[in-house]
Amino acid sequence: MPTAGSREFRTRLGQYLDLVRKGETVVVTHRGRPIAKLHPIAPAHDDLNTRLAELAALGIVTLGNRRPLEDREPVRIRSGEGLSETILEEREDRC
């Protein structure tokens, strides 16, 4: 990981930005102490599932093992029938 003092970083900002653009992370120091880390940001076209998979690979999150809600069929409630009756009927159909 490249390291640069604050003065050198200001002087050669373009070179360090090129490194970051290529995927490198640059640590900026002031009087020998690290004060900042410059790293590439995730591309804007990344979707939520890709980002969650990356976080799961790092051990930051744990992915659920249930079916996504968008795969499920919506329950239709017949007019005049209460919600609880519809739920009970749906449960009976699954047994």
Side-chain angles (χ1 to χ4, degrees), residues 8-55:
E8 178 188 357
F9 182 75
R10 279 192 312 250
T11 305
R12 299 190 174 135
L13 178 61
Q15 293 173 359
Y16 289 111
L17 289 177
D18 286 341
L19 287 174
V20 171
R21 198 173 290 120
K22 293 176 184 173
E24 292 278 338
T25 298
V26 178
V27 175
V28 181
T29 61
H30 182 69
R31 297 184 184 203
R33 292 182 151 178
I35 59 166
K37 192 184 290 188
L38 185 64
H39 59 89
I41 60 173
H45 64 275
D46 274 357
D47 65 342
L48 177 61
N49 291 331
T50 303
R51 185 67 182 132
L52 284 173
E54 291 171 356
L55 292 173

Side-chain angles (χ1 to χ4, degrees), residues 1 14-15 20-21 24 26 32 37 47 52 58 60 66 69 76 79 82 84-85 87-88 90:
M1 183 178 325
Q15 293 173 359
V20 171
R21 198 173 290 120
E24 292 278 338
V26 178
K37 192 184 290 188
D47 65 342
L52 284 173
L58 295 171
I60 296 171
R66 297 176 65 188
L69 291 177
R76 302 286 179 211
S79 65
S84 56
E85 288 88 11
I87 292 172
L88 291 173
E90 284 291 318

